[in-house]
Amino acid sequence: MDATSSSADKLASKTASSNSLDSSSKSSSLGSKHGTENGQQRDTPFSYLDGEEDQDQKNDVTYVCPYRGPAFGALTITNYRLYFRSLPLRDQEPPVVVDVPLGVIARVEKIGGATSRGENSYGIEIFCKDMRNLRFAHKQQNHSRRTVFEKLQANAFPLSYSGKLFAFAHAAAAAQPSTANAAVNAGWDGWAVYEPLAELRRLGVPNDMWRVTKINEFYAICDSYPAVWAVPKAASDDFLRRVAQFRSRCRLPVLSWMNPRTQATITRCSQPLVGVSGKRNADDETYLSYIMEANAQSDKLTIMDARPSANAIANKAKGGGYESEDAYKNVEINFLDIHNIHVMRESLRKVKEACYPTTDDSKWQTAIDSTLWLKHIRCVLAGAVRIVDKVETMSTSVVVHCSDGWDRTAQLTALSMLLLDPHYRTVRGFEVLIEKEWLSFGHKFQQRIGHGDNKHSDADRSPVFLQFIDSVWQVSQQFSNAFEFNEHFLITIVDHLYSCRFGTFLCNTEAERVAEDLKHKTTSLWTHINSSLDQYLNPLFPSFTHGAELVLRPIASVRAVRLWKGLYCRWNPGLCTPQHGCQRTRELLSKQDLLFKHVNELRLKLNNRSNNMQTTTRLASPMH
């Protein structure tokens, strides 16, 4: 592969990949062509994306696979991926293929030095965000490690080297005729999936008790909130400005969801700034009463504080805290015992240790239990179920917050809305849910994931959104026919959470995305998904019966919550589970349709034959 091929030549031969992040040999496109040499096209090992350019290639690298042992082959680095393909030692032996988007890389380290003598002891180790580590051995004499290390650093962490994320180059190249443009032209523009006013109208807002305000249109009131809010009609814009001053980061309560039948609502916010002295704010107290009074079905308001009570009390020392039931009339407060981002980060680290690269069968369950990951997932599920019970069963409005209202709060509001509203259990509805509760309300994706920066020890990194997707998967396992989408859909979202191929999860806030003009300078993940929906659909969904199960109430117990092996264990061949369930189900349902069709045809023939016999009998009768 000639790394110096012209950009024009490369662009002409690129094809957009429809795969998520498939790293198995079957995902490689061996027949694809890339670049030219003396007018002749050459074979390349994979399909290049729009905007993808070669950065380096080494033909004498050994991938130290923890399962199959060392594999000698060629390593290619582009501005989007690291790709390794082994040279099979025997005929018919499948090659070892590693295909990793550079956005998945958390850190790169050199192993061994000039004095290293052991086999494969000199090279590079790559630590990934998707539960795997990769080790490549280099030969010391040709100094190949140095350029590979430098290219990985520059392209995996472009923001630390004054560069730009791949999503921008990908979209710029796709300005040429491509599958991405074809998708947009066909009406699959992912940036148009969520329109705030349309979603509010679907919920019945505005109405007699709630109104829409664009007070934050230029993000001056709260820079981490969206431009459009739904608020109680009794609250004027000037009043909202005063209320915002008493909430952490100015994140005052605004509407997330409304039950169109009972008018019970879910609103979200951050903690009140009560501090150690227990400060009160008449405007904030009045505002919560407006939220309560907007629901005629109840004279109570429930506050769901996501934190353990001890953490909420400790926040008073930092100027935060929680609502006092003495100060806020007709309000009850519940603490949901969901721990902070640092606890969750450590828990996921332990899951990785348990799943990759090796496991001890005799201690497997103990190892997973000791991570506390499933306990944390259970707490998120249990909190959402409590919100659902208050809103649906008790017809009581609920206010949800944690400390700043952009991590645990998003988990709880989004998950409870998913349980309450079947619209969010469709593909488009789920995309709207993520756009609304996670992206527009300022979950700090840039900081939590660390897109394009090399600060792998940053204390702001945490798998908060991953926990939400895991929780959705847990619910889908209990209600297998309630979701239009399948497991592959959820895994694709997680994969591209890290990949930096699309603009959807870039930046921390809506204000930053507007300033970066992501809608015009990057492609949406939803464009990619919605242009090839078939592979993401659940074949059991059409059989879902509504009525009693319109609202889902999953079992949030240790017995029901289990490790998502299809995600966390997929790189470990001893633990990964086959991913062919949906395909097999789709095949069986197709056969069922054919059988039903055949039965109907036989019934029609039988009816016709019966009618013909009756006619013949009447004609032969002596009475005629």
Side-chain angles (χ1 to χ4, degrees):
M1 186 179 299
D2 184 3
T4 62
S5 296
S6 71
S7 298
D9 289 336
K10 288 185 176 184
L11 186 59
S13 64
K14 287 183 170 69
T15 57
S17 170
S18 63
N19 293 327
S20 170
L21 294 179
D22 205 337
S23 296
S24 64
S25 59
K26 70 181 188 306
S27 72
S28 61
S29 181
L30 300 177
S32 65
K33 303 290 181 181
H34 181 62
T36 60
E37 186 172 46
N38 297 326
Q40 300 296 316
Q41 287 188 315
R42 298 178 288 107
D43 287 337
T44 57
F46 55 87
S47 293
Y48 282 67
L49 300 174
D50 289 318
E52 189 172 5
E53 303 289 345
D54 290 330
Q55 302 297 309
D56 197 11
Q57 184 191 22
K58 304 299 179 191
N59 293 316
D60 53 356
V61 175
T62 299
Y63 167 52
V64 186
C65 178
Y67 307 108
R68 294 175 58 174
F72 183 79
L75 178 70
T76 301
I77 297 172
T78 72
N79 55 341
Y80 173 68
R81 80 182 82 207
L82 174 153
Y83 185 92
F84 174 86
R85 181 180 175 84
S86 69
L87 302 174
L89 299 177
R90 293 175 293 275
D91 291 341
Q92 308 303 319
E93 181 183 43
V96 176
V97 172
V98 179
D99 188 354
V100 184
L102 300 184
V104 172
I105 297 175
R107 74 180 193 270
V108 183
E109 292 184 357
K110 295 178 180 178
I111 53 173
T115 59
S116 298
R117 292 292 179 265
E119 185 180 10
N120 300 324
S121 62
Y122 178 87
I124 287 174
E125 186 159 13
I126 298 169
F127 299 83
C128 298
K129 301 170 185 176
D130 64 357
M131 311 298 288
R132 56 181 161 165
N133 298 338
L134 306 169
R135 177 174 287 201
F136 294 94
H138 296 256
K139 295 178 180 179
Q140 294 187 39
Q141 58 269 30
N142 59 17
H143 305 292
S144 65
R145 183 178 76 168
R146 182 179 62 196
T147 56
V148 168
F149 181 81
E150 290 172 353
K151 293 297 183 182
L152 283 175
Q153 288 284 345
N155 290 280
F157 314 119
L159 299 188
S160 296
Y161 293 88
S162 302
K164 294 184 77 67
L165 296 169
F166 176 73
F168 293 94
H170 181 48
Q176 307 297 325
S178 68
T179 53
N181 267 358
V184 171
N185 293 335
W188 295 319
D189 182 9
W191 292 121
V193 161
Y194 173 56
E195 205 290 300
L197 295 177
E199 174 63 8
L200 287 172
R201 284 195 297 270
R202 190 187 70 84
L203 297 173
V205 178
N207 57 35
D208 291 342
M209 303 305 294
W210 292 84
R211 69 182 181 93
V212 174
T213 177
K214 293 186 178 179
I215 185 179
N216 201 45
E217 184 175 9
F218 301 107
Y219 310 103
I221 306 300
C222 177
D223 60 4
S224 61
Y225 258 17
V228 176
W229 305 346
V231 296
K233 202 168 187 177
S236 68
D237 282 356
D238 286 339
F239 182 80
L240 294 175
R241 290 187 179 90
R242 297 199 301 271
V243 173
Q245 297 305 308
F246 193 66
R247 291 281 165 172
S248 177
R249 315 281 183 173
C250 295
R251 294 172 66 93
L252 74 163
V254 298
L255 183 72
S256 283
W257 188 80
M258 173 184 291
N259 186 318
R261 177 175 53 84
T262 66
Q263 305 298 298
T265 60
I266 298 174
T267 51
R268 60 179 295 171
C269 59
S270 61
Q271 64 185 339
L273 301 178
V274 297
V276 176
S277 62
K279 286 186 292 187
R280 294 181 60 173
N281 183 285
D283 291 328
D284 193 71
E285 293 166 18
T286 300
Y287 186 62
L288 288 196
S289 72
Y290 288 162
I291 295 174
M292 180 191 68
E293 291 163 2
N295 174 14
Q297 304 292 322
S298 177
D299 57 1
K300 278 277 192 183
L301 181 68
T302 297
I303 295 176
M304 294 291 186
D305 190 322
R307 303 167 293 183
S309 58
N311 294 32
I313 294 170
N315 264 276
K316 286 187 174 184
K318 303 175 184 177
Y322 58 93
E323 296 83 355
S324 163
E325 292 183 358
D326 293 330
Y328 292 81
K329 303 303 179 185
N330 300 313
V331 166
E332 63 171 7
I333 187 162
N334 298 272
F335 296 99
L336 300 181
D337 295 322
I338 303 173
H339 286 274
N340 63 31
I341 61 171
H342 313 295
V343 172
M344 302 311 180
R345 181 176 60 248
E346 177 64 13
S347 180
L348 184 65
R349 184 190 65 78
K350 292 179 179 178
V351 172
K352 180 175 180 176
E353 285 184 353
C355 296
Y356 189 94
T358 59
T359 58
D360 184 342
D361 287 345
S362 64
K363 299 178 181 178
W364 164 252
Q365 196 57 53
T366 302
I368 294 301
D369 290 344
S370 67
T371 69
L372 300 181
W373 183 257
L374 298 183
K375 178 186 175 183
H376 297 317
I377 295 293
R378 189 202 68 78
C379 283
V380 174
L381 278 170
V385 169
R386 289 181 68 177
I387 294 171
V388 168
D389 186 58
K390 285 291 182 182
V391 172
E392 179 65 20
T393 306
M394 309 299 292
S395 297
T396 301
S397 292
V398 174
V399 176
V400 183
H401 71 69
C402 47
S403 297
D404 290 321
W406 49 44
D407 290 316
R408 289 166 283 191
T409 298
Q411 289 178 331
L412 291 168
T413 57
L415 192 56
S416 58
M417 290 161 65
L418 180 93
L419 300 177
L420 285 163
D421 192 336
H423 173 65
Y424 299 125
R425 302 195 288 267
T426 65
V427 171
R428 295 296 181 95
F430 192 72
E431 293 167 356
V432 167
L433 184 66
I434 291 175
E435 287 281 344
K436 182 176 186 291
E437 290 303 301
W438 289 91
L439 292 158
S440 79
F441 275 101
H443 175 66
K444 301 195 292 184
F445 281 100
Q446 175 64 43
Q447 289 189 17
R448 295 291 179 257
I449 306 304
H451 294 310
D453 75 54
N454 59 7
K455 303 170 187 172
H456 60 86
S457 298
D458 192 336
D460 277 328
R461 295 197 182 181
S462 188
V464 177
F465 183 72
L466 175 63
Q467 279 188 314
F468 165 69
I469 297 294
D470 192 329
S471 300
V472 174
W473 179 83
Q474 301 288 345
V475 178
S476 74
Q477 297 307 290
Q478 295 188 34
F479 301 91
S480 59
N481 60 351
F483 292 81
E484 185 184 26
F485 49 82
N486 57 26
E487 180 184 42
H488 178 53
F489 174 74
L490 296 177
I491 291 176
T492 299
I493 291 173
V494 172
D495 282 342
H496 289 298
L497 171 67
Y498 307 128
S499 76
C500 296
R501 175 179 167 185
F502 303 103
T504 301
F505 296 118
L506 305 187
C507 301
N508 291 315
T509 64
E510 181 178 290
E512 290 179 10
R513 292 182 193 98
V514 170
E516 291 284 342
D517 196 20
L518 294 189
K519 285 190 176 183
H520 300 103
K521 294 183 178 179
T522 67
T523 304
S524 168
L525 170 59
W526 315 134
T527 301
H528 170 72
I529 287 177
N530 296 343
S531 61
S532 54
L533 267 182
D534 285 352
Q535 62 181 304
Y536 303 110
L537 296 180
N538 173 14
L540 295 176
F541 179 68
S543 66
F544 180 58
T545 54
H546 295 285
E549 292 186 309
L550 190 66
V551 175
L552 304 183
R553 290 183 171 84
I555 300 170
S557 74
V558 177
R559 297 188 308 277
V561 177
R562 53 199 175 95
L563 187 71
W564 186 1
K565 289 186 178 181
L567 178 67
Y568 303 119
C569 304
R570 56 182 162 156
W571 313 119
N572 186 333
L575 290 173
C576 65
T577 54
Q579 299 294 311
H580 307 302
C582 278
Q583 180 61 32
R584 179 59 179 158
T585 303
R586 192 173 284 111
E587 290 171 359
L588 290 173
L589 289 173
S590 178
K591 289 181 179 179
Q592 176 183 272
D593 289 340
L594 290 174
L595 288 172
F596 277 138
K597 184 178 180 181
H598 186 54
V599 168
N600 289 333
E601 289 173 351
L602 290 175
R603 283 176 177 164
L604 183 60
K605 288 181 179 178
L606 187 61
N607 288 336
N608 289 338
R609 184 178 299 176
S610 176
N611 291 335
N612 289 337
M613 289 178 65
Q614 289 177 7
T615 301
T616 302
T617 302
R618 284 197 300 269
L619 291 174
S621 171
M623 296 296 293
H624 296 278

